[in-house]
Amino acid sequence: MSAPHAVTANDLAYQAVDELVLTYTVLVQGAVRDAVTGGPLHARVAASADHPEALAKGFEGSLWCVAGYVEQVFPHCPPALRSLFPRRDTGTPGSA
């Protein structure tokens, strides 16, 4: 990641960082199934999360997920339990 630098636009000054990559951990994922056929719905699922630090997203084929930073979404979770959530950036269990 590069160092922050000043950017001016419309007479306003901003601090910018080029190539900032944010990696979230998938906390829970699933699929919505048709109650009659047991198959996936052929629609995009709408998903939402009430926690301000969690991001929810629905996908085609009835898939959904909730993602975020484990230590922010579950601040009182013991570090040993946080390791159950694999980190996407390393592929290894995470730690706080």
Side-chain angles (χ1 to χ4, degrees), residues 5-61:
H5 60 277
V7 175
T8 304
N10 298 326
D11 297 325
L12 296 173
Y14 299 91
Q15 287 285 348
V17 178
D18 294 331
E19 302 177 14
L20 178 63
V21 177
L22 301 175
T23 303
Y24 297 101
T25 300
V26 174
L27 304 171
V28 63
Q29 64 186 9
V32 179
R33 298 287 183 176
D34 185 297
V36 175
T37 67
L41 298 178
H42 299 289
R44 185 178 195 94
V45 175
S48 64
D50 289 339
H51 195 288
E53 300 296 336
L55 305 169
K57 184 163 181 152
F59 303 93
E60 293 291 333

Side-chain angles (χ1 to χ4, degrees), residues 70 77-85:
V70 177
C77 181
L81 290 179
R82 291 181 191 169
S83 66
L84 297 175
F85 295 95

